[in-house]
Amino acid sequence: MEAQISDVVPTLRRGSGESAPERMRTARNRRRIALLASACAALGLHAPASAQTLDNKYWVSAMAFFPKVDTDVRVATKTQADIGTDIDFEKDLALDKDEILPSFTAGARFGRVIVGADFYKLNRNGQIGLARDISFDGVVYPATAQVRSGFDSEIYRLTVGYAFVQNSTVELGAAIGAHVTRFEMSLSGVGTVGGVTGQSEVRRRNVLAPLPTIGAFVTYKVAPRVELNGRFDWLSLKVDDYDGRLLNAQVGANYAVAKNLQLGVAYRYVDYRLGIDKERWDGRVRYKLHGPAVQLQASF
């Protein structure tokens, strides 16, 4: 620090022709500049570091996700001769494919063990005059019929990871976890059941699917205030009556705007396919979301 301060104040060295008052002013100025340089050095070395996730044990964040949504569903039962129609909820039923989806994340670091949890939810409703006949859960809704529809989803993600590489700038590891997903879908309108027409029919189905995942994660501090991060979860597995495939990936960057507070941007991709083989529901759900997000994160 002394060498740095002397570089800052070369013009304030005492000259042979200085008077006593001038020497006193010079000494005061040197002390002030030394204090200022020390303060700047302390801020530059310590303030940004304390605001970064790699330097903290706990973090929480709120995210606004702007995804494109694609939903395909087929619902029937094994007792029905009709296997059901593959329904595109955005194209066939006019559900909005552009939504703002809130998401919440929390995490904790215990040495090399990292625990994380996510929650996000999307509720959508639509109404349309059908362009074609649709069979859903034993009801045939004919073309031109006015149909109301809904598709709600709640996704809970929990992971436990271990960092194989962990230092002041990089954290890299693998994780196991679970995606617990609740889907609820409905159609209502005038339809045909067992050859009887002209009745208003409502059909509603829901499913709760807990599916295990394996994955990887990385965080890299590229500058004192900037971190890059990424994570990846994957599953392709048959569990009881469910045949599932899941791909969940996210990349992002955070910037420390204040102590313990970061603003970030991210891109998330989720591709969820679930086959169901039950007596009362023989069908499938495919749910895809992808798009940018902004987030506010606190860490401590």
Side-chain angles (χ1 to χ4, degrees), residues 32-53:
R32 290 170 182 169
I33 293 176
L35 289 173
L36 179 60
S38 299
C40 291
L43 288 172
L45 291 173
H46 300 297
S50 64
Q52 296 299 307
T53 307

Side-chain angles (χ1 to χ4, degrees), residues 62-131:
M63 176 183 289
F65 180 30
F66 303 88
K68 296 287 187 181
V69 187
D70 185 18
T71 312
D72 295 288
V73 175
R74 179 171 59 83
V75 178
T77 70
K78 290 187 175 181
T79 60
Q80 297 169 353
D82 187 356
I83 64 171
T85 303
D86 286 320
I87 306 170
D88 185 322
F89 269 57
E90 290 76 33
K91 182 178 178 181
D92 294 323
L93 301 177
L95 264 64
D96 194 349
K97 63 173 63 177
D98 300 300
E99 288 282 342
I100 300 177
L101 189 156
S103 174
F104 302 94
T105 301
R109 180 180 290 105
F110 305 98
R112 290 181 176 267
V113 177
I114 295 91
V115 179
D118 290 351
F119 169 74
Y120 49 102
K121 179 178 181 178
L122 182 59
N123 297 336
R124 294 177 297 156
N125 296 282
Q127 181 174 353
I128 193 173
L130 294 178

Side-chain angles (χ1 to χ4, degrees), residues 167-293:
N167 55 50
S168 61
T169 58
V170 178
E171 186 172 72
L172 173 66
I176 59 173
H179 273 252
V180 180
T181 308
R182 185 190 70 84
F183 294 119
E184 182 175 304
M185 58 211 74
S186 64
L187 268 71
S188 62
V190 175
T192 300
V193 181
V196 179
T197 62
Q199 301 183 73
S200 179
E201 299 288 345
V202 179
R203 290 292 185 270
R204 189 180 306 273
R205 288 286 184 160
N206 60 73
V207 61
L208 181 67
L211 298 174
T213 61
I214 59 173
F217 60 90
V218 62
T219 302
Y220 177 44
K221 185 186 294 186
V222 296
R225 289 180 176 267
V226 181
E227 283 184 353
L228 304 181
N229 56 77
R231 71 187 194 200
F232 174 84
D233 298 317
W234 176 80
L235 163 78
S236 182
L237 180 69
K238 181 175 176 60
V239 180
D240 295 331
D241 299 318
Y242 301 106
D243 185 4
R245 196 199 83 173
L246 172 68
L247 175 61
N248 178 31
Q250 180 176 311
V251 294
N254 288 344
Y255 178 80
V257 295
K259 182 179 180 180
N260 304 110
L261 188 66
Q262 302 89 41
L263 287 178
V265 294
Y267 190 92
R268 174 181 282 178
Y269 179 91
V270 181
D271 190 347
Y272 200 118
R273 302 182 186 188
L274 183 65
I276 303 164
D277 185 15
K278 291 177 174 288
E279 286 292 332
R280 59 183 299 269
W281 184 352
D282 182 20
R284 69 181 181 92
V285 177
R286 180 176 179 181
Y287 193 42
K288 183 187 291 187
L289 309 94
H290 58 93

Side-chain angles (χ1 to χ4, degrees), residues 8 20 54:
V8 174
L54 278 179

